[in-house]
Every structure is written in C-alpha cells, then in structure tokens.
Amino acid sequence: MLDKYEKRALLITGGIIMLFIFSLLYAMVKEKIQVTDCLPYNKVYTESKVTRLDERSYQVFAVARMWNFEPAQIYIPVGSEVDFFLTSKDVVHGFNISDKNVNLMAVFGGISKTTVRFDQPGVYKITCHEYCGVGHENMQAEVIVNYPERSYSKD
Ligand code: CUA
C-alpha cells in the first residue's frame, strides 16, 4: 500500500515528465524546432569540409577541438539550407549559432546533425558554450551568408 505522500510524489513526477514530452512535441510540431539527430559514428565526419549539393543546399562537416572550430568560416548564399554534421576531436564542446536557435553538443565518437536555413544575409557567429578548458572563450567560427560572395565547387 502506497503512502499518500508517496502517491503524490509519483503523480507530480509523472506530470512533470508528461509536461517535458508535451513541450518537446509542441516545439517540434508547432514551432518547427529541429530536434538534433545523433548519427552513428563514421570517420568521414572527422574531416572538416563544406560541400555544395546544389544551388541552395550545403553540407558542413564541422569539427571541434581544443580550441577552435573547423571550418572557421563558412560562406553560403542567401536562402541556403545547411545540414551541419558536428563532431569533436577531444573533449565535449558546444555549438551555438547566433540568431538560429541551434544548440548542439560536439562529442568525441558521436555525430550531431541539424539543418538550418539562412534566409537573411549577415554573419552568424558560432560559439562554444560548453566550458572546455583555458581556450574556451576563443572557440568561434562564423557562417557568412552572401558576404562576401564566394562559392564552393560541387563534388
Ligand atoms: Cu570548446 Cu568551450
């Protein structure tokens, strides 16, 4: 027989969990928030690169390490959709893109993936938001949307 306080604690806990699940579903469906995918580890992603798939689609393999991001600069045209594949060469790093609601973790042996559209020209700062050592605050990169013009070869 459960004590009435025990029962109350279970109900509250269950309620909070339901609330979390509901919030996540709400964010995905209503706000169209991209929930990060975690892909199986593959060596391919440990080499940083930017690949142009077509006019407005890009793939970025981003590699975090103490204490920088590669590539440090990503140039794309306005209206591009970018798939980011992120991994780390050492400790856990963060990957936050300003103004973009992107908050990924770079984990050694893991690949985090998300897709972001850049409809406004500008420079979007990428910063590490997980404390990763003395060089943490220097970990930055940027997505440069149509400024200056530059293109990648298709491959
Ligand atoms: Cu990398 Cu903080």
Side-chain angles (χ1 to χ4, degrees):
M1 194 43 197
L2 284 177
D3 181 83
K4 80 171 178 193
Y5 292 108
E6 231 173 342
K7 211 180 272 176
R8 201 174 290 169
L10 278 176
L11 277 174
I12 292 169
T13 313
I16 292 170
I17 292 171
M18 295 300 279
L19 188 70
F20 277 135
I21 294 172
F22 176 79
S23 315
L24 188 64
L25 290 176
Y26 183 86
M28 283 170 74
V29 176
K30 278 286 191 186
E31 306 287 322
K32 301 206 168 36
I33 302 286
Q34 261 259 334
V35 177
T36 312
D37 296 325
C38 293
L39 306 182
Y41 183 71
N42 185 327
K43 244 188 130 156
V44 174
Y45 300 114
T46 61
E47 296 299 319
S48 72
K49 66 170 181 175
V50 180
T51 309
R52 178 172 173 250
L53 301 178
D54 63 42
E55 279 296 288
R56 294 283 184 265
S57 317
Y58 290 81
Q59 274 187 338
V60 173
F61 292 3
V63 178
R65 59 154 63 82
M66 290 187 265
W67 285 281
N68 62 48
F69 288 111
E70 276 172 36
Q73 265 135 8
I74 300 157
Y75 296 89
I76 51 164
V78 176
S80 298
E81 194 162 85
V82 183
D83 292 328
F84 287 93
F85 298 83
L86 174 70
T87 191
S88 167
K89 291 270 193 189
D90 39 53
V91 299
V92 174
H93 297 278
F95 190 87
N96 180 277
I97 305 179
S98 61
D99 302 325
K100 279 295 168 193
N101 220 341
V102 170
N103 183 331
L104 298 178
M105 298 248 281
V107 182
F108 181 81
I111 317 295
S112 308
K113 184 200 168 223
T114 195
T115 304
V116 187
R117 257 189 87 86
F118 294 89
D119 286 322
Q120 300 297 325
V123 177
Y124 297 79
K125 282 274 174 213
I126 296 171
T127 46
C128 177
H129 62 284
E130 290 287 336
Y131 182 73
C132 55
V134 293
H136 164 69
E137 61 273 12
N138 301 327
M139 278 192 73
Q140 287 190 3
E142 50 199 14
V143 181
I144 297 143
V145 181
N146 209 25
Y147 161 75
E149 270 306 337
R150 191 187 290 191
S151 58
Y152 295 92
S153 60
K154 213 167 168 172
D155 76 17

